Amino acid sequence: MSTETEEPSLTVDELAARAGVTVRTVRFYSTRGLLPPPAIGPRRVGRYGPEHLSRLALIEELQHQGMTLAAIERYLEALPDDLSADDLAIHRALVASWAPDAPEEVSREQLARRLGREAAQEDVDRLAALGTLERTADPDVFRIDPRTLHLGLRLLDLPIPMETILAAHTVVVDHTRSVARELSRLFRDEVWGPELAGSGSGAEQVRAKKSLSAHVQPLVVQALVIAFQRSMREELRAWYGQDQAPADGDGPAGPGGRDDPAAGPAAGDA
């Protein structure tokens, strides 16, 4: 398996299996320029890494949303060239968040191909705990949520205890539910208001509410993601800075600091 800090290690067959597509599809995307070229290893064998896997997942998600190949090409061309696998995963998550629930059934063998190894019972238990997978009456058949499978598979290999991941999941769910509740109250009381609430028939009001929601939701999600990214950058820089001495009064250098090229733009630069 390849990680963010390792050299690309997947062959084209392994990449296709992990992404849930065919080798022919990978080669087709490569010829269209949708995938960057692989690193060339020994014996001139192409090796692929996490960025290729995340980009494939994003392409497939855009296709599921009904985008044409030309539209996908334009979408990818507009993205910065230096996006990491994690950045691409965020793009995919935003796209997938608007997809309707469409559970799929997969066999243990299919799940193993996506994992890149045998689907051990521990992996199944962890995916089930994350809500990515549901068991069926057949112990070798599972119902998965395609929107969260890619995320769940990546979480499996992080060196973080399962209890910590579940605790983090609870924090995210609780706080996002609270934000959603407060925003709903705000729009209900301040935007919808008693005047609109008292006008029109019940059916007309339902249509009006749906129309308002359709316009507001994408804006709210984008605002939340931007605000969260900025907050996380600030928190991580403060955390990294605890172990770093300020350099010439310019703040912490090294990982997460202004002198670290991997840190990305500052919160105010986004």
Side-chain angles (χ1 to χ4, degrees):
M1 175 186 169
S2 175
T3 68
E4 293 287 349
T5 58
E6 294 175 346
E7 292 296 322
S9 62
L10 299 175
T11 65
V12 66
D13 296 276
E14 292 168 337
L15 175 69
R18 292 286 300 274
V21 299
T22 65
V23 172
R24 183 179 179 182
T25 297
V26 173
R27 297 196 188 282
F28 174 72
Y29 289 157
S30 297
T31 59
R32 296 295 297 258
L34 299 179
L35 287 177
I40 303 301
R43 299 181 182 179
R44 305 294 297 172
V45 175
R47 295 288 175 175
Y48 299 82
E51 291 82 5
H52 294 92
L53 191 58
S54 288
R55 187 170 287 261
L56 268 177
L58 175 58
I59 293 170
E60 290 296 299
E61 191 61 54
L62 293 171
Q63 281 195 323
H64 291 160
Q65 296 296 323
M67 290 182 67
T68 65
L69 191 61
I72 293 174
E73 289 176 343
R74 291 193 296 271
Y75 184 98
L76 295 178
E77 286 173 358
L79 298 179
D81 294 332
D82 59 349
L83 285 185
S84 68
D86 291 331
D87 295 326
L88 291 167
I90 291 174
H91 276 274
R92 180 186 178 276
L94 288 175
V95 174
S97 66
W98 301 113
D101 292 331
E104 298 177 5
E105 288 193 353
V106 298
S107 66
R108 188 179 291 269
E109 181 182 357
Q110 290 172 317
L111 183 62
R113 286 201 295 268
R114 298 297 298 271
L115 278 167
R117 61 174 184 269
E118 180 183 355
Q121 193 57 45
E122 179 183 0
D123 292 329
V124 172
D125 292 341
R126 288 167 71 92
L127 290 173
L130 290 168
T132 296
L133 171 151
E134 291 181 9
R135 296 178 176 85
T136 67
D138 186 335
D140 290 321
V141 176
F142 311 101
R143 188 173 295 107
I144 63 168
D145 181 351
R147 298 175 305 170
T148 62
L149 180 61
H150 185 66
L151 172 63
L153 295 180
R154 295 191 69 186
L155 286 173
L156 285 181
D157 295 301
L158 289 180
I160 301 175
M162 188 62 191
E163 294 76 11
T164 304
I165 293 177
L166 292 178
H169 180 266
T170 298
V171 170
V172 171
V173 170
D174 288 347
H175 283 275
T176 52
R177 183 173 293 136
S178 176
V179 170
R181 185 179 299 114
E182 288 300 310
L183 287 175
S184 295
R185 181 198 61 76
L186 181 65
F187 280 98
R188 182 183 64 245
D189 297 344
E190 304 297 333
V191 178
W192 192 251
E195 294 184 1
L196 291 177
S199 63
S201 64
E204 290 173 342
Q205 287 199 22
V206 169
R207 284 194 295 270
K209 289 178 179 178
K210 288 183 176 180
S211 177
L212 177 63
S213 174
H215 285 85
V216 167
Q217 284 190 39
L219 302 177
V220 169
V221 169
Q222 186 175 10
L224 285 173
V225 170
I226 292 172
F228 181 73
Q229 286 181 317
R230 289 176 174 174
S231 297
M232 280 299 297
R233 287 190 187 118
E234 293 171 0
E235 291 296 324
L236 289 174
R237 284 182 180 129
W239 178 36
Y240 298 154
Q242 291 175 1
D243 301 320
Q244 297 286 336
D248 299 328
D250 291 333
R258 292 294 295 177
D259 296 330
D260 178 18
D269 298 332

